[in-house]
Amino acid sequence: MNLTAKLKEVQRNGSALWAANFYNLETLQGILQAAAELIQPVILQLTRGSIEYMGLNPAVAMARAMITKYNVEAWLHLDHGDSLELVDRCLEAGFDSVMFDGSELALGKNIEMTHRVVELAAEYGANVEAELGYVAKLGQSTEQVGFTEPDEAKRFVEETGVNALAVAIGSAHGFYKQTPKLDIERLKEIHAAVDVPLVLHGGSGIPDEQIRQAVQVGICKINVATETKNAFMRALSRQLKQTDEIDLRKVFPPATAAVRELIKGKMAVLQTA
Ligand code: 13P
């Protein structure tokens, strides 16, 4: 099933998919092991930074081979695509889905660019996600400005033909200084205004109960990245403090296991949603 159809199915069922960013073989393994153990679908995400780190074709080949190895229902998605050129390269390399992030552009320009991405992706039968509103990126202010306006969301979806919409309702990328409080009322209004599956960015650190509430009112995809990096690096650092072992094949597995347990925990939250 392609991701557009899967997100629609998930939307009908009132559930959601986790979309987990991976950075190397080990984080990819951890995510897929979680999905395989719980027999859950998962979206695997790459950002420009991760693509530059691993190389586009090696990252795609590795993801495809590992999806087959673990026999998991999974899709490869470009997270925060920032140019038509990057989107095009990812589609050509075989991504199932792309995000075009025009959230920092003026509304008209965001609509125009996103529409071009939708047309481009149609040639590949790929899913398209876009963002409307301000979800603070790493290092940006998390002041409550630029939340998604329901009427703008309606216009945006109609004029772009996008398949999924990331909304700004109080989440932010990276760790939170204070417990976030999602604007569930606003989410309800957006949900009533548009019929596409909605996406929640900044999933790391949002309390489970708020995740469940958000899923009840239209969130169908939740992104998690920071917690994965954190789980992996904390576990690796603990290992390195305990041993002089230089065989990385012995010190990486506990870090991979930490990612697996983290993602299993996230998936369990949705199973009870
Ligand atoms: P976090 O890093 O806060 O989990 O956000 C992930 C994300 O939204 C990626 O697009």
Side-chain angles (χ1 to χ4, degrees), residues 21 23 45-52 77-80 86:
N21 290 54
Y23 306 90
Q45 306 200 132
L46 287 168
T47 58
R48 175 187 280 280
S50 300
I51 289 168
E52 284 169 0
H77 172 80
L78 169 66
D79 189 28
H80 294 286
L86 178 62

Side-chain angles (χ1 to χ4, degrees), residues 4-51:
T4 306
K6 186 68 181 185
L7 285 170
K8 278 283 172 197
E9 179 188 280
V10 158
Q11 186 184 36
R12 279 195 300 277
N13 296 341
S15 63
L17 301 175
W18 282 99
N21 290 54
F22 69 97
Y23 306 90
N24 57 7
L25 172 73
E26 288 75 18
T27 46
L28 175 64
Q29 274 178 327
I31 295 161
L32 287 173
Q33 284 170 3
E37 282 185 27
L38 297 184
I39 318 176
Q40 287 294 309
V42 71
I43 299 168
L44 301 168
Q45 306 200 132
L46 287 168
T47 58
R48 175 187 280 280
S50 300
I51 289 168

Side-chain angles (χ1 to χ4, degrees), residues 99-230:
M99 175 194 190
F100 176 71
D101 180 359
S103 61
E104 292 182 70
L105 302 173
L107 177 62
K109 189 73 185 164
N110 191 0
I111 290 175
E112 181 198 320
M113 296 288 288
T114 302
H115 183 60
R116 284 169 68 185
V117 170
V118 169
E119 284 179 338
L120 189 60
E123 292 170 30
Y124 297 84
N127 183 74
V128 178
E129 173 183 327
E131 182 168 312
L132 187 64
Y134 176 93
V135 181
K137 298 190 173 64
L138 286 179
Q140 290 183 330
S141 159
T142 53
E143 290 296 303
Q144 296 199 353
V145 289
F147 280 13
T148 309
E149 296 295 342
D151 54 339
E152 285 187 0
K154 185 172 187 307
R155 176 178 161 206
F156 188 87
V157 169
E158 281 170 3
E159 294 186 15
T160 60
V162 78
N163 304 111
L165 182 67
V167 291
I169 54 164
S171 65
H173 295 91
F175 281 127
Y176 294 94
K177 290 200 186 81
Q178 287 163 351
T179 308
K181 174 123 185 47
L182 298 181
D183 188 342
I184 298 292
E185 285 310 310
R186 181 180 294 267
L187 179 59
K188 277 185 195 161
E189 288 171 29
I190 300 167
H191 184 45
V194 302
D195 63 359
V196 292
L198 301 175
V199 180
L200 184 65
H201 280 242
S204 294
I206 299 179
D208 295 349
E209 193 43 42
Q210 289 193 48
I211 297 276
R212 289 192 200 99
Q213 280 178 359
V215 170
Q216 275 165 18
V217 278
I219 293 294
C220 298
K221 171 178 179 275
I222 308 157
N223 290 5
V224 59
T226 300
E227 280 186 271
T228 301
K229 284 192 270 193
N230 185 58

